[in-house]
Amino acid sequence: MAIVEPADAEPALAATAPEAEGVNFWKDALPANDAIDKQILKLFIPAMLNFLIIPLVGAVDVFWVGRMGSAVALAAQGAANQVFQSAFWIISFVPSIIAPVVAKAAASGDTEEVQRATGEAIFVASLVGLFGMLLLTFMQDRALSIVGIVPGSPTATQAGPYIGWRALTFIPAIISTVGFAAFRGTLDVTTPMKITLVSQMINLILDPILIFGAGALKAMGVAGAAMATSASEVSAAGLYISTMLKRNIITLKSLFRVPSWANIGKLMVGGAAVQLRSIAQNVTFIAVMRAILTMDSTGTAAAAHTVSAQMFQLGLIAVLALSTLASILIPQRLNAASEGGVWEAKKVADRLLIWGFLLGCFLGCLQFAALPALQFFTPLQNVQEMAKAPVLIGAVQMPLNGLVFVAEGLMQGHQAFMRLAGGMLVSTTLMIGALKIWGTTVEGVWCCFFVFNVSRLFFGLKHHFFDGPLAIAELRGAPAEARAAPVDTKAAAEAAAEDVAAGFDAASKEVASAFDAATAELDAVFETAGLTPADESDGKSALRRALRT
């Protein structure tokens, strides 16, 4: 079946755009149950369900591991999963780039471009996935040491096999994310939801069997949870490939065609900016996990953080779904043959921001009401008590997260990846500084996220309202015909690539400087905690070396 209109379709201009001086931007931003709201709702519900399935199954993972009655097991699963997720999202930059590219091609009716872009993305992603698999397989102890797990410790003994099994399915996992991004670009969020549901049911069924054993099958413990997740990832990758072939999103020719060096170069240039942002973001999460793991040797703080984070993610997933809509609706509106143009994109972007704030308020109230559900995540009373404050702090932050995620989704839609990376680097540096001051308790660590997210919101709103393509000043300076007409996709893509390439060298220097400063601050934190660089007698030299690296 066709996924887009014929490539030779004549682009029709949208209705004449109003004069910007006479527009009430605030009124246009408020939900009005109009065509914009109906499209957002139509796409949001299946997108949210798709994103919600994975953390729900993740919550089941935590539930079954929690039934083992061991705080160390919970800490091992939480820390190892954080290491895998951090490595995965640092390396897998391709999906972030391909979604707006596919959205542009689909909106302009270019089926061949959709197939080319998706096929090349899968090829490059597979190579990147191979690198990730080898990295986590042969540097397992080093990777776990980054979050404070000392080799040979009880936590390391259980975390190691988890990482090993998850590493084996790095390639299928990254192919699935590219498939999801490609479907998203064609404004199809229902098909990924169905694929995710089927694949995650496999995880759901296998979890108790592999963790606790059944009949002749012996109990695998924490490693069993990883095996169940790996099985679901392999099935998801197979379903995505077969479905994309049926829907004509890819062909066998585009799937196995080696991209030209020029196209690989474009992906890598854009990917470099995405990676810089992802590295900065995951440095934050790793620093948080390290701070948690070094609070006590019993694993209670780490277990409480794991449970709190799992509950928080169940709500956060909804604003993440809204963020992905922002990343595809903006290029779709800018390049649509009808009902498109800068003016329509502005209205959709403002509306999404309001939706993000309102959704965050609702989710915050929901998380507050769900506080008694802590008992279902772990039977350990001390872990339940320690997790209450982080859950409440997370609930208060939900409205802020709603705005942050949508604002950054809008920047992704504009392919402003370098700007995103710069904002994330500053936010990460501020977060590490906040951890130095308040990161000595679980509650303090969660309060530090206010600093992190307020900084991210500043950069997102600055781009949207003041110096981005949809800034009010930009709209007022453009003629009405330009605001109504679809954007020249090719020219916009070339301009974006040139902008990324021009800023890459300068940004790389800023990255090095920011991480040097962050490392110095972390060294100060460890010195305060007794991890002095000159003292090698405390058995934690591996942790110091990993952090220096």
Side-chain angles (χ1 to χ4, degrees):
M1 61 182 278
I3 58 172
V4 290
E5 294 182 2
D8 58 352
E10 285 293 325
L13 291 181
T16 303
E19 292 299 324
E21 290 79 2
V23 173
N24 188 329
F25 291 101
W26 172 250
K27 182 179 179 181
D28 283 344
L30 293 175
N33 195 31
D34 55 9
I36 294 176
D37 285 330
K38 290 177 181 178
Q39 183 183 34
I40 291 174
L41 193 61
K42 179 182 178 181
L43 295 173
F44 170 71
I45 292 178
M48 180 187 66
L49 291 176
N50 179 75
F51 280 114
L52 192 59
I53 292 168
I54 296 176
L56 279 174
V57 175
V60 173
D61 285 350
V62 173
F63 170 81
W64 286 117
V65 173
R67 294 299 101 181
M68 294 173 64
S70 168
V72 171
L74 265 177
Q77 192 266 345
N81 186 61
Q82 179 64 71
V83 170
F84 177 83
Q85 293 296 332
S86 295
F88 183 82
W89 292 113
I90 286 173
I91 293 175
S92 58
F93 58 85
V94 177
S96 298
I97 299 173
I98 201 63
V101 172
V102 171
K104 286 181 178 181
S108 59
D110 193 344
T111 303
E112 185 177 342
E113 175 64 14
V114 170
Q115 294 170 348
R116 183 202 64 78
T118 306
E120 291 182 351
I122 292 175
F123 182 89
V124 174
S126 298
L127 294 179
V128 171
L130 177 62
F131 171 75
M133 181 185 72
L134 296 174
L135 181 71
L136 288 184
T137 299
F138 294 104
M139 299 186 67
Q140 189 178 107
D141 289 342
R142 186 76 171 267
L144 291 172
S145 294
I146 293 176
V147 293
I149 295 181
V150 179
S153 66
T155 304
T157 301
Q158 299 198 50
Y162 185 97
I163 281 288
W165 281 102
R166 294 296 302 274
L168 292 177
T169 53
F170 213 110
I171 295 177
I174 198 171
I175 289 177
S176 295
T177 59
V178 172
F180 180 40
F183 275 109
R184 235 171 46 223
T186 62
L187 298 185
D188 179 1
V189 291
T190 302
T191 299
M193 178 191 69
K194 295 177 180 178
I195 292 176
T196 302
L197 182 61
V198 171
S199 63
Q200 291 302 316
M201 283 300 297
I202 296 174
N203 188 11
L204 204 63
I205 294 170
L206 291 179
D207 254 342
I209 297 175
L210 295 177
I211 291 174
F212 298 104
L217 185 65
K218 68 175 184 178
M220 304 296 293
V222 174
M227 295 167 67
T229 302
S230 298
S232 72
E233 287 171 344
V234 172
S235 64
L239 288 170
Y240 269 114
I241 292 294
S242 61
T243 307
M244 285 191 291
L245 287 169
K246 291 178 182 177
R247 301 286 180 84
N248 206 29
I249 294 176
I250 56 172
T251 63
L252 288 175
K253 181 180 179 181
S254 68
L255 186 61
F256 293 104
R257 181 173 54 200
V258 179
S260 66
W261 283 110
N263 289 335
I264 291 178
K266 291 178 182 178
L267 275 175
M268 297 306 292
V269 169
V274 175
Q275 278 189 303
L276 290 178
R277 174 178 180 257
S278 187
I279 288 171
Q281 187 175 34
N282 283 281
V283 163
T284 298
F285 298 145
I286 289 172
V288 166
M289 182 57 72
R290 180 212 55 79
I292 294 291
L293 286 171
T294 53
M295 283 179 190
D296 67 80
S297 58
T298 65
T300 303
H305 174 74
T306 299
V307 171
S308 303
Q310 193 65 60
M311 288 191 66
F312 182 70
Q313 289 170 8
L314 289 174
L316 199 63
I317 213 69
V319 295
L320 176 60
L322 200 60
S323 173
T324 62
L325 295 189
S327 70
I328 59 174
L329 283 177
I330 297 308
Q332 188 273 336
R333 274 297 200 273
L334 288 172
N335 295 275
S338 62
E339 297 183 358
V342 179
W343 185 257
E344 282 297 314
K346 169 68 174 172
K347 290 173 65 176
V348 171
D350 288 344
R351 189 71 59 85
L352 284 166
L353 283 170
I354 298 298
W355 270 65
F357 177 75
L358 296 176
L359 179 63
C361 291
F362 171 74
L363 292 171
C365 295
L366 199 62
Q367 184 168 323
F368 180 81
L371 192 62
L374 280 172
Q375 60 182 314
F376 297 107
F377 287 86
T378 175
L380 304 174
Q381 288 293 330
N382 57 338
V383 175
Q384 291 180 29
E385 289 300 318
M386 187 174 287
K388 286 181 179 178
V391 170
L392 293 176
I393 295 170
V396 174
Q397 292 190 47
M398 274 297 180
L400 175 63
N401 280 294
L403 287 170
V404 168
F405 275 63
V406 172
E408 292 186 342
L410 296 175
M411 294 179 73
Q412 289 184 36
H414 291 297
Q415 294 184 286
F417 299 120
M418 194 60 70
R419 297 284 297 276
L420 272 169
M424 188 62 70
L425 285 169
V426 173
S427 302
T428 294
T429 303
L430 292 174
M431 177 68 173
I432 293 175
L435 286 172
K436 179 180 178 181
I437 301 172
W438 299 299
T440 56
T441 64
V442 179
E443 296 87 349
V445 168
W446 278 73
C447 285
C448 290
F449 278 109
F450 279 108
V451 176
F452 182 60
N453 287 321
V454 167
S455 176
R456 292 168 63 190
L457 182 61
F458 168 78
F459 287 99
L461 295 184
K462 181 176 181 292
H463 180 269
H464 178 66
F465 287 113
F466 298 103
D467 52 21
L470 301 182
I472 296 175
E474 290 284 335
L475 290 179
R476 285 176 175 164
E481 292 80 4
R483 296 198 302 269
V487 175
D488 184 339
T489 304
K490 183 177 180 181
E494 290 176 352
E498 290 175 2
D499 179 63
V500 170
F504 180 69
D505 289 338
S508 298
K509 294 178 182 178
E510 293 178 7
V511 172
S513 176
F515 276 99
D516 285 343
T519 301
E521 291 179 358
L522 278 174
D523 285 343
V525 173
F526 288 125
E527 186 173 355
T528 303
L531 294 175
T532 55
D535 183 11
E536 299 290 335
S537 62
D538 58 2
K540 298 179 180 179
S541 56
L543 173 58
R544 279 190 292 273
R545 287 195 299 271
L547 288 166
R548 291 193 193 106
T549 302

